Structures are given as C-alpha cells and as structure tokens.
C-alpha cells in the first residue's frame, strides 16, 4: 500500500484529480491533506472525500512534532498541489526525493518566489510567449529548482487571457499529475 500526502493552499482541483484517479485503487491511499488556509477549497474536498485533513500555521510546519506526524503516515510521496509556502529544510531532509511539486509554467521560465497562479500566466501573456505548460519536479531547498520529472507543453493563443490560459494549463495538470504520481509509485 502506498500512502500519499497532499499539501495544498487553494481550490484543490489538482487534489481532486489525484483522488479521482486513484479512487478505485486498493494500492494507493491519500492519508492526509494538509493546508495552511482554513478556508481553502481543498479542505471541503477532504471532508467530502472522507480524507483526514490538517490545518497548519508557520509554527506547526516548522515543528519537530509535525515532521513526526508526517513520518507516522509512512508516505511514499508528499505531493505539493498548489501549496504556497516554502517547505522547511527539516521536512525536505526527512523525505529525500519523496516530495514533488507541480508548477504552471515551463521551468526555469516563470518560476521562483512570487510566481504562482495568475502571476505566472500574466507574465507569460505579457511576454508574448507562444507556448507555456507545466513542470512536475522534485522539491529541494531552493524554490522551483529541483530536478524536472515531466514537462507538458501547450500553445498560448493570440487571444488568450489569464482565464483561458489557466484553464488550458489546468487540463494539462489534471491529466499528467496523477499519471506521473502513478508512474513514480510504480517505479519506487
Ligand atoms: C496549480 O495551477 C498548480 O500548478 C499551482 O497551483 C495551482 C493549484 O490549483 N502550483 P488547484 O488548487 O489545484 O486548483
């Protein structure tokens, strides 16, 4: 049995895609959903799906007891699905090569601090890029810098706005993120 932990700060559409993908699978279970925002949509998803959840603040995420709580779930993977805080080094060191993130651009372009959500798509549109995409990567001590696991590309159209581009990117994310997780679990 693979236990996976999801960290998310927002609506949770990626978390939902992951839950849906593994719903009928007996060998993979989402053990807990962790969020730093008490009104995050992802917490409603956790409730609806009967998945335990935990709301954390900065003191909790930096505490030794939180690392122990995560360890107690024996995760094969910790998945950052739109989680906006940097993961403390103590957690990264406790789970080497087991933390992955999804970013809504073709890293290294449009990565780094402040580059999240609409900010990313806005910058892509302002620079008249003709393509964008997603990057799934390992998480290390530097923001958006770990080894790339998968990139998927899409066109940026001349009449795109932030919403149309964000929707296209979300479709890529919802397709590729669960399948990449499955691939990593099967190869581990
Ligand atoms: C996604 O676009 C992801 O790439 C980024 O945050 C967004 C989360 O969206 N890191 P959602 O909460 O999964 O809908």
């Amino acid at each position: 049995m693979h236990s996976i932990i999801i960290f998310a700060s927002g609506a949770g559409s990626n978390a939902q895609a992951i839950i849906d993908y593994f719903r009928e699978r007996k060998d993979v279970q989402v053990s807990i959903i962790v969020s730093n925002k008490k009104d995050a949509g992802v917490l409603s998803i956790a409730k609806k799906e009967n998945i335990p959840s935990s709301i954390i603040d900065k003191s909790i995420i930096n505490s030794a007891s939180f690392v122990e709580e995560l360890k107690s779930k024996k995760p094969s993977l910790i998945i950052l699905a739109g989680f906006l805080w940097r993961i403390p080094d103590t957690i990264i060191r406790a789970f080497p090569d087991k933390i992955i993130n999804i970013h809504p651009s073709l890293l290294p372009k449009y990565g780094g601090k402040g580059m999240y959500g609409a900010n990313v798509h806005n910058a892509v549109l302002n620079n008249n890029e003709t393509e964008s995409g997603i990057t799934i990567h390992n998480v290390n001590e530097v923001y958006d810098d770990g080894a790339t696991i998968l990139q998927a590309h899409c066109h940026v159209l001349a009449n795109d706005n932030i919403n149309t581009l964000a929707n296209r990117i979300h479709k890529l994310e919802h397709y590729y993120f669960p399948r990449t997780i499955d691939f990593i679990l099967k190869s581990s």
Side-chain angles (χ1 to χ4, degrees):
M1 163 68 77
H2 284 294
S3 151
I4 58 179
I5 295 175
I6 298 176
F7 279 57
S9 304
S13 69
N14 278 284
Q16 185 72 65
I18 294 164
I19 294 163
D20 289 343
Y21 180 89
F22 290 111
R23 189 177 299 285
E24 304 302 330
R25 289 271 295 272
K26 304 268 178 279
D27 58 330
V28 180
Q29 184 183 37
V30 181
S31 307
I32 190 165
I33 294 179
V34 176
S35 184
N36 60 314
K37 287 218 171 123
K38 63 177 188 316
D39 56 351
V42 73
L43 292 171
S44 312
I45 293 173
K47 196 167 178 204
K48 166 174 75 90
E49 300 285 356
N50 281 317
I51 296 170
S53 62
S54 178
I55 302 169
I56 55 167
D57 60 21
K58 290 265 180 181
S59 73
I60 293 175
I61 198 172
N62 286 299
S63 68
S65 60
F66 184 60
V67 176
E68 290 313 310
E69 189 188 336
L70 295 176
K71 278 186 183 165
S72 74
K73 309 285 179 196
K74 298 194 181 353
S76 298
L77 275 181
I78 295 178
I79 295 153
L80 310 184
F83 187 68
L84 293 182
W85 285 352
R86 207 183 83 78
I87 298 295
D89 293 354
T90 44
I91 297 181
I92 292 174
R93 281 197 291 268
F95 300 98
D97 299 323
K98 284 192 176 168
I99 310 179
I100 64 171
N101 182 44
I102 190 161
H103 186 81
S105 76
L106 296 170
L107 291 174
K109 285 181 136 185
Y110 307 105
K113 208 164 170 38
M115 276 293 165
Y116 60 88
N119 296 352
V120 176
H121 307 312
N122 199 23
V124 166
L125 292 170
N126 283 341
N127 283 346
N128 297 314
E129 298 281 3
T130 54
E131 68 163 10
S132 189
I134 63 167
T135 303
I136 298 169
H137 64 93
N138 282 118
V139 173
N140 63 17
E141 283 91 337
V142 184
Y143 239 66
D144 292 339
D145 177 66
T148 297
I149 300 165
L150 176 132
Q151 288 193 312
H153 298 231
C154 65
H155 292 297
V156 178
L157 306 177
N159 60 354
D160 264 336
N161 57 42
I162 289 177
N163 283 337
T164 56
L165 181 56
N167 285 340
R168 197 172 305 120
I169 298 274
H170 258 130
K171 282 192 183 128
L172 284 182
E173 294 185 328
H174 298 163
Y175 183 83
Y176 283 106
F177 206 13
R179 285 162 180 81
T180 302
I181 292 164
D182 199 9
F183 178 80
I184 296 168
L185 294 176
K186 282 182 174 150
S187 13
S188 65

